[in-house]
């Protein structure tokens, strides 16, 4: 526990763990215990299923370009309502009910997250013409000012952050929660970034969990195809975060009860640890 005393740990909370009341209560209890143990937890949350549910109820249909969702003005208003409103306050209430003192903010507060619009290049099948897709109010981090989070964590409060940013013209931009958490962890030089997902971690070619990887080993697994599909951008994001000063990133199955505590306070951990180089006397194994 001394390893994390007064250290910042950014936890990205999302996936099915958010929709399970028992797991949500376990998560809230874990975050409170971290704070009581002298760790500075920062929670960044997603909310994709909740956004989709409200869009459906409001009969707002999504447009897709090149397989990517376009977020128009009506959609981003719903995104902000759900992320900075209902979901954020639900997590805040859960932490408070376990004895913590959580406060909900978003990337718009105190200019925490300045964002720029994302553009993607796309080429139609059997076409040599490449076009630039405008995805609407979708953003990526441009500049992070973590002052407000620093102020909160150096008190008895726990910040719960919704992943929306401020665009160049003051507009709301929806930022991917993993990307948002990584940018915030980098700006704060966090000790750990924990990504709670719906998968066990990184698996080898036989489907077994790889408990620890160096950044160079992770790159090799991408190149040889062991890491594939949607896991590639997640791992590449992890490598970027480590390059920018975060000591290590851990991909954890959020469906495992008390996964956060198991990862931080036990020797075997609870997922796949990715770090720049393997520490001496590392007991996690590979």
């Amino acid at each position: 526990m001394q390893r994390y005393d007064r250290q910042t740990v950014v936890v990205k909370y999302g996936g099915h763990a958010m929709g399970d009341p028992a797991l949500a209560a376990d998560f809230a209890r874990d975050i409170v215990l971290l704070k009581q143990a002298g760790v500075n937890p920062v929670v960044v949350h997603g909310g994709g299923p909740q956004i989709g549910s409200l869009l459906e109820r409001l009969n707002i249909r999504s447009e897709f370009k090149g397989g990517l969702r376009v977020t128009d003005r009506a959609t981003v208003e719903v995104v902000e309502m759900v992320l900075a409103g209902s979901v954020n306050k639900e997590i805040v209430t859960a932490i408070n009910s376990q004895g913590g003192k959580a406060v909900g903010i978003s990337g718009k507060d105190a200019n925490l997250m300045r964002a720029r619009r994302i553009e993607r290049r796309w080429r139609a099948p059997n076409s040599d013409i490449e076009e630039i897709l405008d995805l609407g109010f979708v953003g990526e981090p441009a500049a992070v000012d973590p002052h407000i989070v620093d102020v909160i964590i150096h008190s008895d409060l726990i910040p719960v952050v919704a992943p929306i940013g401020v665009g160049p013209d003051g507009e709301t931009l929806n930022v991917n929660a993993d990307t948002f958490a990584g940018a915030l962890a980098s700006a704060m030089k966090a000790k750990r970034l924990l990504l709670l997902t719906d998968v066990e971690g990184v698996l080898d070619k036989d489907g077994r969990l790889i408990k620890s990887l160096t950044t160079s080993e992770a790159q090799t697994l991408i190149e040889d195809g062991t890491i594939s599909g949607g896991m590639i951008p997640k791992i590449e994001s992890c490598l970027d975060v480590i390059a920018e000063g975060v000591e290590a990133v851990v991909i954890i199955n959020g469906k495992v009860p008390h996964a956060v505590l198991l990862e931080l306070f036990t020797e075997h951990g609870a997922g796949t640890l990715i770090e720049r180089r393997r520490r001496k006397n590392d007991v996690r194994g590979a």
Side-chain angles (χ1 to χ4, degrees):
M1 293 174 72
Q2 290 177 338
R3 181 191 301 172
Y4 299 101
D5 187 47
R6 306 300 163 197
Q7 298 292 326
T8 298
V9 174
V10 177
V11 184
K12 185 268 176 171
Y13 177 48
H16 287 99
M18 287 180 65
D20 184 314
L23 288 175
D26 283 346
F27 174 80
R29 198 173 302 124
D30 290 355
I31 295 298
V32 172
L33 183 56
L34 288 184
K35 188 69 175 180
Q36 292 172 341
V39 182
N40 293 323
V42 178
V43 178
V44 175
H45 63 83
Q50 294 90 333
I51 292 168
S53 176
L54 185 54
L55 287 171
E56 189 174 323
R57 282 165 51 196
L58 295 174
N59 200 28
I60 298 174
R61 300 188 181 279
S62 296
E63 179 189 358
F64 288 84
K65 291 183 180 178
L68 299 171
R69 185 195 301 270
V70 177
T71 302
D72 60 16
R73 189 173 296 277
T75 301
V76 81
E77 288 178 0
V78 172
V79 167
E80 186 165 10
M81 279 195 300
V82 172
L83 291 180
S86 57
V87 170
N88 187 275
K89 300 314 172 192
E90 193 175 292
I91 298 168
V92 165
T93 301
I95 292 173
N96 292 345
S97 69
Q98 297 296 331
K101 292 183 179 180
V103 58
I105 62 173
S106 78
K108 296 175 77 171
D109 290 291
N111 288 327
L112 169 59
M113 181 68 68
R114 291 278 189 182
R116 56 178 167 260
R117 294 198 185 212
I118 287 181
E119 290 183 342
R120 288 287 182 265
R121 296 183 179 275
W122 179 73
R123 181 178 297 164
N126 305 317
S127 172
D128 294 329
I129 300 175
E130 190 174 64
E131 61 178 303
I132 295 176
L133 300 179
D134 179 3
L135 299 179
F137 294 88
V138 180
E140 60 187 0
V144 183
D145 180 358
H147 173 70
I148 186 173
V149 180
D150 279 326
V151 170
I152 293 170
I153 65 173
H154 288 105
S155 68
D156 61 346
L157 303 175
I158 300 168
V160 178
V161 191
I164 56 177
V166 184
D169 299 316
E171 72 274 31
T172 297
L173 295 179
N174 182 21
V175 181
N176 174 274
D178 283 355
T179 305
F180 189 107
L184 182 56
S186 298
M188 299 188 73
K189 298 294 186 281
K191 181 83 169 178
R192 285 285 188 279
L193 169 60
L194 307 184
L195 299 176
L196 270 64
T197 68
D198 291 333
V199 296
E200 195 175 359
V202 179
L203 306 179
D204 65 17
K205 289 187 174 178
D206 296 320
R208 295 173 300 201
L209 177 68
I210 302 174
K211 293 185 177 180
S212 68
L213 286 170
T214 63
T215 51
S216 61
E217 288 169 346
Q219 191 62 54
T220 298
L221 292 182
I222 292 174
E223 291 167 359
D224 71 12
T226 302
I227 295 173
S228 60
M231 186 61 79
I232 292 177
K234 190 178 288 288
I235 298 300
E236 288 178 337
S237 176
C238 293
L239 300 182
D240 290 341
V241 167
I242 294 168
E244 291 172 14
V246 175
E247 186 181 276
V249 182
V250 191
I251 298 174
I252 304 174
N253 187 349
K255 293 180 284 188
V256 175
H258 303 294
V260 171
L261 295 186
L262 288 171
E263 172 53 40
L264 295 179
F265 295 152
T266 67
E267 290 184 339
H268 54 75
T272 299
L273 173 78
I274 305 172
E275 56 191 338
R276 192 182 307 276
R277 61 183 66 86
R278 191 162 280 114
R279 288 164 288 150
K280 292 181 179 178
N281 304 319
D282 184 2
V283 298
R284 289 178 75 110

